[in-house]
Structures are given as C-alpha cells and as structure tokens.
Amino acid sequence: MDLNSASTVVLQVLTQATSQDTAVLKPAEEQLKQWEIQPGFYSVLLNIFTNHTLDVNVRWLAVLYFKNGIDRYWRRVAPHALSEEEKSTLRAGLITNFNEPVNQIATQISVLIAKVARLDCPRQWPELIPTLLESVKVQDDLRQHRALLTFYHVTKTLASKRLAADRKLFYDLASGIYSFACSLWNHHTDTFLQQIFTGDEAAATNSLERTLLSLKVLRKLTVHGFVEPHRNVEVMGFLHAVFERLKQFLECSRTIGTENVCRDRLEKTIILFTKVLLDFLDQHPFSFTSLIQRSLEFAVSYVFTEAGEGVAFERFIVQCMNLIKMIVKNYAYKPSKRFEDSSPETLEAHKIKTSFFTYPTLMEICRRLVSHYFLLTEEELTMWEEDPEGFTVEETGGDSWKYSLRPCTEVLFIDIFHEYNQTLTPVLLEMVHSLQGPTNVEDTNALLIKDAVYNAVGLAAYELFDSVDFDQWFKNQLLAELQVSHNRYKPIRRRVIWLIGQWISVKFKSDLRPMLYEAIRNLLQDQDLVVRIETATTLKLTVDDFEFRTDQFLPYLESMFTLLFQLLQEVTECDTKMHVLHVLSCVIERVNIQIRPYVGCLVQYLPLLWKQSEEHNMLRCAILTTLIHLIQGLGADSKNLYPFLLPIIQLSTDVSQPPHVYLLEDGLELWLVTLENSPCLTPELLRIFQNMSALLELSSENLRNCFKIINAYIFLSSSEFLQVYSGDLCRSFCELLKDITTEGQVQVLKVVENVLKVNPALGPQMFQPLLPSVFRGIIDGERYPVVMSTYLGVIGRVLLQNASFFSLLLSQMACECGQELNQLLGNMIEMWVDRMDNITQPERRKLSALALLSLLPSDNSVIQDKFCGIINISVEGLHDVMTEDPETRTYKDCMLMSHFEEPKVTEDEEPPTEQDKRKKMLALKDPVHTVSLQQFVYEKLKAQQELLGEQAFQALMETVDSEIVTQLQEFLQGF
C-alpha cells in the first residue's frame, strides 16, 4: 500500500466509518476489514492518528484499528503477519512525539505502545525504555504527562508477563530503573505538596496527576520487579516512605474542601498508597514482615482512634481494615501446631503480631467495631423508612462487597474474633450481659447498640458455641423481644430473627422449633416490611437445616405459605421477589407432596409474575426454580399446569430465542422434572421436543440433562415418541458420536440401550445406523472399559431380544469387514468373554450371560468352540445374582421381580415419581428381571445335550474347567 496515494483513500473510508448512517458505515467497515492484511495499512493509520489537524473521531477510529491489528497481525507466526521492516518503522513512529492533545486518544496510544512492548521489548525494541525515561524529564507539561502515561502502561504490561524468561527480563528492568522511578515520584509528590499549600490549584492538579502516574509505575515495579524485595534498600525505603506520604496526603485532604478539583484525584492517590501495601503483602508476605508493626499501628490509629476523625473517608477505612485483616489471617504468619516445625520468618512475623495485639488493643478494636462501625447510620435508617426493599438488598452487601464499609467491618470482626476468640469472647459476653431485658423504645441509641451487639453475636456464632447457652437465651429473652410490637423496636425484632437464623445450624434444640415457627408466623405479619423479609430469610435457613423435621412444621405450613405468598405479591423489586420466591421454593422442596393443598394461589399468580418479569431474566430463573420444586411436590397433578408450564419450557429451551442464554439450564431441569412427573404424553409435551436437535448441536455442559430428557420421553411413551422423532434423534446421535467425549459416547449408547429395552422389536431398526460402529467397537476391543461395557449392553439386548435382527447385523458386518460370518461371530464371543470384567453393573452382567446363552442350543462349530467361554460367563453371572436361602440351602435369582408394589415411603424419603413407577413396570417385562438365570442355564444346557447326544455333550463339557463345572453343578442342584 503506497503511503501517499493510500492516505487520502483510507482517511475517506475512516470518515465514512464514523457515520451514523448504516448504509455508509457498513461498506466502510467492510473495506477496512479487507485492508487489515494489506502491507502498509498500519503505517497509513499511524500517519492519520498522529495528525492532530484531522477530526478527533477519525483519529480515534484509526487508533482502535491499529490497536486491534497488533493483537491479530504483530506476532511473527500470525497469518498475514506484518513484515519486520514495517514493524520497525511503526515502532520508531510511535515514540517520536509524546504530544497527543486529546486525553482519550493519548490513553489508547499508550495502551497500544504497551501491547507492542509486550511482544517486542526489550529484544526488538531496546530504545523504548530509554526514550521514555528521557521524555518524562522534559519541561513541556504535555509531553511529560504523555510520556509518563506511556511509561505506566508499558510497566503494567511487562509486569503482567508470567513466563520465567519474561520475569527475568522484568527483574532486570526494575533493577535498572527503580532508583529513577523513585526520584521521579518524590519530585512530583514534593511539587504537588508545595503547590497545594501555596494555593496554586491548577498547578497542583497537574502535579497530582503526575504523582499518581509515577506511583502507579512504582507499584508495579515494587510488587512484581524483585524476587526478594526485602534485600533491596531502595524498595524498603520506598515502602517505609509510603506511610509518611500517606500522612501528608491525609492532612492535605483535611485542609482542602470537598469542592476542590483536586479532591477526587487526592483520594484516588491515597487509595493507591494503600494498594501498594496490600499488593506487596499479598505477593511478598515475608518481605513485608518488617512493615507489619508500622502497618498495624498506622491502620489501627486511623480506623480505631481519634487520629482518623476528619480525615479518614470510607474507602480509605475499608483499605485499612483490609490491611489489618490480611495481616491477621495471613497463612504465612501462622506457626505450625509444633512451633519448632515453623520457619524463622513465620515465627518472627507471629511474634510481631502477638506483641501488637495485646488485650487492651484487641478489646478496644472489638468495642469500637461493635459500638461504632456496626451501628446503623442515619442514612441507613432513612433508607429503611423510604426504601425498605433497597435497604434489605444493601444490607446483603450487593456487588461492591469488597469496597463497602459495613460488610468489610463485619468480615474484619469475624477474622479477628476467630484468631483471638479466647481473648475476645469475655469482652463480647460482657457487652451482651449489659443488655439483658427489653430496651426502652424511646432510647434510640440504646436500641442501636443492642442491634450492633446482637449482630456481633450472630457473626461470631461458631466461635461462641461453647460459651453461649443459646437455647436458654432464646426462651428467656429473645422470644420476648420478638413480641415487642412497638414500631421503634423494629430494628431489634429484625436483628433477633436474623440472629436466630445465624444460630439455627450452630446450636438450637429441635424441641424449640415449634416455638420458633410460632414466632416466625407472627413476624411474617409484622407491620414492617424489612422485618418480614428478614423473617423469610430465617425461615429458609430453618427449613434448610439438617435437623428440620416436617412433622413439626406441618401445623404452620398453611399459614406460613399464605403469608409468604402475600409477601411475594407485596414486594416490587426484582431482587426481593427473587429472594421470597427462593424461600417459597425451599419450603416446597422440604415438605414435598404435603404442599399440594396450599399451592393454588401461587399457581394462579406465577403466570402474571412471569409476564411482568419479561425484562428480568434472573427473576425468571427464580420462577423456573420455584416451578421445578412445585412440579416435584404436585407429582402427576402437575399436568393441570401444562397450559402455563409448557410454553415456559418451550421458550427457555429454544436456542433461537435470546432469553435462553439465562434460562436454558433451569429450563432443561424444569423440562426433565415435568416429564418425570407426567402421567401421560400430551401432544403439546411431545411438540416441545422439536427444540432438542439444536440443543444437541450445542454440545454444551447441558448435554447430560438433554440425554436425561430423551430417556424420560422413552420411558413415558416410547412408541409415540419414537414414531415422530427416531429419525431426527438417530441423525443427531450419528453427528454427536463423530466428536464427543467418552462420557458423552456412553450417554448416547445408554439412550439406545433404553430404546432396545422398551421396544426390542422396532428399536434395532430405528437406530440401525448406529449399531455397526457398536459392533465394530466390540470386535476391535474398545480400550475404555465404560464404553466397552455399554457396547456389550447394546449388542446383548439385540442378541437376546431380537435374534433375527442380530443375524442381519452379523451378515452386514461380515460383508463390511470381509470376514466369514462364523469367524466374525467367534471373534465377537471371544472378545465378550475376554472383556467381561469391564462390565460392573450386575444387570448388564446377567444380560451378557443370558445373551450368550441364547446362542444355545447350536451345532455351529464356532459356538461349540466358544462353549467354554459361554459357560464361564454364565457361572460368573450366577455368582453375581444368586443368593442362598440359609434355611433351605437352595439358591434363588435376586434380580427376579414378580409384581409391582408401591414402595412405602418414610418421612425423609421422596415419594416415587411417575417415571420411577414406569421404570418398575418396564422391569417387569425385562428378561433380566423376569427370567431366572439358573433356570435359563439349565434349559439351554438340557437343549444342547438333547441336540448333540449324551456323549458329544459330555465331550463339550470337558472343555470347561473342572472347578467351573463343580460350581455350575452346585448352582443347578434340584433341577
């Protein structure tokens, strides 16, 4: 591509590509795509985006195309890779001038230089770092900033490389430039501090930006640039300087107002200081040892003493708490149970921690966390009143868990309490004892303190197991507090029911459950919405608990379910509805069929909720989960839900519909339980299977459920189902088997095996295209035992239950393999006998014995030649299935089933689904469960004897090992 002639054309097309008109935009994008692989294209782009007279949007687009081109074509091995000559020209052009006036474009140029550096620096681009170091020294403000910005992105990118050779290069780079980076940072920091105190706001803003960038560079160099940073004086000097600089910047934040333009950048810089310490601690815990004392003193003073008042903003407090937490729970600082097994570095760090966390310090931290940080704020109380649902979502931590103050304080409390529980337990218990009895509803502060202390007891539940008699506390105080109905007492009602939820799985006597259910039922009628939502959460924890007993809960089921349903209708936020639905689902799941009388209202409401949640896919997922448990509870009665249920399954599992991305997994689960509980196959239920072909093509992690669904259709109504879909299914399976895991292969063959089981007459014909590969797998000695076992199961079914089709298949295979039919049969029997140990399931082992015995009686010389192997497998099968009656000393086949009995279900067991019943009925027709192997062996041997005559039969029996014959005779006593 000639630069002079091409520049005008490329510029014109780039201009068109910025158009809002798709008729102009699309052809331009297509043309640019074609040019991507043209030599010289990226040189033209470089000329365009470095020409500051051109339109900003065009230059922006040119930068993006250049950046994407680096990812695709810069590596030597890439298809259509850039030539070394062009890359050399481009590298030189990129660092000629650091004078980009537009911030966004400057950032993109810095990023793309870093991308090239990742691939080429230092070997092909040795001049990059020296050029950057020179450029950050220039007096021109713009050039200095842009060079510093690029220096940061290059350092960040090189620091992220993980191969040993790349790490070595970065260590060398860090050692070479660390001193310069420190002096650069100190220079910009001192300049900023001087300017801020003289009131030069504009200059201070510029200097602060440079301070921030140089600190970002130092962070990467410090954390990733040294193997043993504690041995480097400059590194440790910088880290110790961080504390002094932090104090200076915090004082700065005290002096400048919240409206100051520097404020936001100043807070970002303060946070970056703490990130340096946190990252260094994370990557180099032992190198951090000399900083432990200072870090703890610094963080504790700003978070837990008056030193932080007026300067410590929320995000800074969070970072300080994270620093304390990381030191407290750092695994590297915890000695082994036998101290002598610990490293000297661990013991040194542990000693520093122990000397810092004295009883007075721990007591003050604990008291301050509970009585200051745990208190509900004015802002939170206002939110409780004005937006109760928003308050409950906020209380769970939301997405910003790491950076939100309340969850951060709670995690710090848990970690410190766990580490020092012997010291802190008496402190917390003293706080609890001081709050005995109900609190005056007029004393807001006392109520908030009680709320905070109860919060601490809930968070520390596991640590307090041996120190708190929770059952007595529940009966003597907490239950009474739940009954205080005054509006101002609602924080305590909410906190107490939350507290019970925390203790329910730790220590709570089973016989107290009815009292708790009574309290929950009352609180679900509380006048305050937040209390009701928290009560629903505790109910979920209660029914989810290991010691939950249905009989205790049943007297309250109707009223609780009704109240939960009313709560579901009342709440309006998507998150809250999901939460209440989840509680309902848990209740339905635990009580199972006992829910049937009470679900009418929910069943009527769910279609409306589904319609209202069209834009909220996560809420729809919650509805699907509820429906899954509902269907399981309703059993065969779930058929009444089909007008609503089946369209939902149809939509959720249709990969051509956008919502399937969110709904597919739950949709497949719902489809499966619907089939498992369906009393019969309806035309609508059959029609949904049209979605399956596309699902099988996806070959995703949902494939296992897809196979379960196919099997469910086979058990539900094999003839109807296979009449419509066997062709499609066979084609899908043939495609799948070309490229599928071993497990997937087994799943496909299990479906075929089930088809042969339920429809032995037509099944082999329906899946005829699959059977040759199965037969070939047996002959070739498939190496995976689980696959071989399934192959033998499939062919065993055909041989035992459709001998005529087996003969046709054998003839076809003999033709394809170019072998004699008898030779192929002999090879198959030989491999079967040889690989019998691959079969582990007793049913399949018996099937193998029945199938091979079905070849008898025979005068075929090949079958007689393999007679010994057939008898060996038969005796193995008898050992598997025969049990001895100790009284009569006779044997019986333990797999025989004579009639169907409804199993007696205990309270803890789930009742059988309709599919379970269908499988039982199917087993009553299955030779494995209806034919006595003992009798079958006897009859086949008797028939063989009659066919050959006594003398020839005895000669045949002599080919069998005498020990096997003895065992056989023992099994056949009485015949």
Side-chain angles (χ1 to χ4, degrees), residues 250-265:
L250 285 164
E251 279 306 309
C252 255
S253 72
R254 190 198 297 272
T255 57
I256 67 172
T258 53
E259 302 302 316
N260 192 295
V261 290
C262 284
R263 182 79 195 189
D264 182 54
R265 274 279 183 252

Side-chain angles (χ1 to χ4, degrees), residues 461 464-471 500 502-509:
L464 294 170
F465 180 86
D466 294 321
S467 305
V468 172
D469 185 343
F470 194 81
D471 296 329
I500 293 165
Q502 301 309 297
W503 276 83
I504 199 79
S505 60
V506 178
K507 187 193 255 184
F508 197 87
K509 274 186 184 171

Side-chain angles (χ1 to χ4, degrees), residues 644-707:
F644 163 57
L645 185 64
L646 301 188
I648 284 182
I649 297 173
Q650 165 70 41
L651 173 73
S652 305
T653 60
D654 184 351
V655 297
S656 68
Q657 297 290 333
H660 91 272
V661 175
Y662 303 95
L663 308 179
L664 180 58
E665 189 175 343
D666 293 316
L668 287 171
E669 188 71 31
L670 180 59
W671 191 358
L672 178 60
V673 298
T674 300
L675 289 165
E676 287 174 341
N677 290 279
S678 177
C680 60
L681 182 63
T682 66
E684 296 78 17
L685 196 51
L686 184 61
R687 200 174 301 124
I688 295 175
F689 196 80
Q690 292 170 357
N691 287 355
M692 185 57 71
S693 289
L695 290 166
L696 292 175
E697 285 174 21
L698 280 179
S699 295
S700 66
E701 65 277 3
N702 294 308
L703 213 49
R704 184 187 291 272
N705 264 347
C706 290
F707 287 126

Side-chain angles (χ1 to χ4, degrees), residues 819-866:
Q819 290 185 25
E820 290 290 327
L821 191 142
N822 279 341
Q823 182 189 355
L824 193 63
L825 177 61
N827 291 345
M828 184 198 77
I829 297 171
E830 189 173 327
M831 190 58 73
W832 204 321
V833 173
D834 185 54
R835 301 294 290 275
M836 183 66 178
D837 286 345
N838 287 170
I839 306 175
T840 54
Q841 303 95 324
E843 290 86 354
R844 274 211 195 124
R845 291 177 68 82
K846 180 177 177 181
L847 175 66
S848 286
L850 291 172
L852 289 176
L853 281 165
S854 72
L855 293 168
L856 302 178
S858 174
D859 56 3
N860 185 310
S861 59
V862 171
I863 293 176
Q864 290 189 30
D865 185 46
K866 306 300 178 189

